[in-house]
Amino acid sequence: MIIKRNPLTWFEKLYIPTLIGGFKVTLSHFFKKKVTMQYPEEKWTVPEGYRGAPYLVKDEKDRTKCVSCQLCEFVCPPKAIKITPPGPEVNKERGNIEKEPEQFEINMLRCIFCGYCQEVCPEEAIFLQKDYSLTGESREEMIYDKTTLLELGGVKESSIKKWDKKAADAKAQQSH
Ligand code: SF4
Ligand code: SF4
């Protein structure tokens, strides 16, 4: 089926009124308040509780809280977490029980910021923080290792104070 186009009127054929109409729209926006954000120089202020990238945290005494239980690795839907536990060697300063991971990696290309790792962690060792814009020049760069995760996570005061007690118990045992 051929649709017949309406022929242009003589006014439309002038084109000038249409051009002027376009300039008018441009000019009206020129004097309006700017609403465009100059990203990435400007960034959003995200609200409290925002679920951004997950990082490992240390306690207020600079101790890595993660004990390699691997629950987060198990529940992570896209399998973004890879933990290498420390093996039979255990940390005596923590009551000979706690195991700081040998390596802890999160592939940020896979992570969907779901928060399951934070939910499941029995040690309050991993938290979703406010970073929403992660960039890198290669895939390898987007796999954050333990050092990077701890640096980005910083210190978070814990409601779990068991390590102080365990350290005291370990000291007491050593002195006997
Ligand atoms: S936020 Fe979700 S996807 Fe990301 S590491 Fe944690 S469990 Fe995995
Ligand atoms: S971050 Fe938490 S859940 Fe994951 S291995 Fe460490 S202690 Fe376990």
Side-chain angles (χ1 to χ4, degrees):
M1 191 169 76
I2 298 168
I3 297 169
K4 243 183 130 189
R5 285 168 188 256
N6 290 334
L8 294 177
T9 63
W10 70 268
F11 187 72
E12 284 168 336
K13 279 183 195 161
L14 282 178
Y15 292 111
I16 305 291
T18 318
L19 278 177
I20 292 170
F23 280 130
K24 258 169 68 183
V25 173
T26 309
L27 262 177
S28 70
H29 284 288
F30 198 70
F31 296 106
K32 276 186 188 163
K33 193 175 161 257
K34 280 186 199 156
V35 289
T36 310
M37 180 183 275
Q38 299 302 313
Y39 185 83
E41 286 79 17
E42 288 174 31
K43 285 192 173 155
W44 288 276
T45 311
V46 294
E48 260 331 293
Y50 178 82
R51 298 202 305 195
Y55 299 140
L56 290 174
V57 296
K58 287 187 172 184
D59 72 2
E60 55 281 12
K61 290 187 180 165
D62 204 39
R63 294 175 294 203
T64 305
K65 293 194 202 175
C66 175
V67 294
S68 310
C69 72
Q70 292 178 283
L71 279 175
C72 56
E73 188 178 20
F74 182 72
V75 297
C76 178
K79 303 281 171 229
I81 300 177
K82 195 171 144 203
I83 299 166
T84 313
E89 277 292 310
V90 289
N91 190 333
K92 289 203 171 71
E93 276 182 17
R94 295 188 184 175
N96 221 17
I97 291 169
E98 313 299 0
K99 294 177 167 187
E100 190 178 319
E102 179 91 18
Q103 193 47 269
F104 193 115
E105 288 177 352
I106 301 183
N107 186 337
M108 293 298 177
L109 291 173
R110 286 188 170 200
C111 178
I112 51 171
F113 301 175
C114 66
Y116 282 8
C117 49
Q118 177 180 321
E119 294 286 325
V120 81
C121 180
E123 300 291 334
E124 296 180 5
I126 189 163
F127 282 89
L128 269 66
Q129 306 213 13
K130 291 186 173 177
D131 289 2
Y132 57 84
S133 169
L134 311 178
T135 53
E137 292 183 352
S138 64
R139 285 175 179 272
E140 290 70 36
E141 234 178 272
M142 297 307 291
I143 299 172
Y144 289 16
D145 64 5
K146 187 176 89 171
T147 315
T148 312
L149 291 168
L150 284 168
E151 267 173 24
L152 291 166
V155 171
K156 196 162 179 81
E157 201 179 331
S158 179
S159 62
I160 302 170
K161 301 286 182 197
K162 68 174 189 181
W163 286 347
D164 291 336
K165 191 180 169 299
K166 285 184 192 295
D169 289 350
K171 237 185 204 163
Q173 270 183 3
Q174 276 169 6
S175 62
H176 282 305

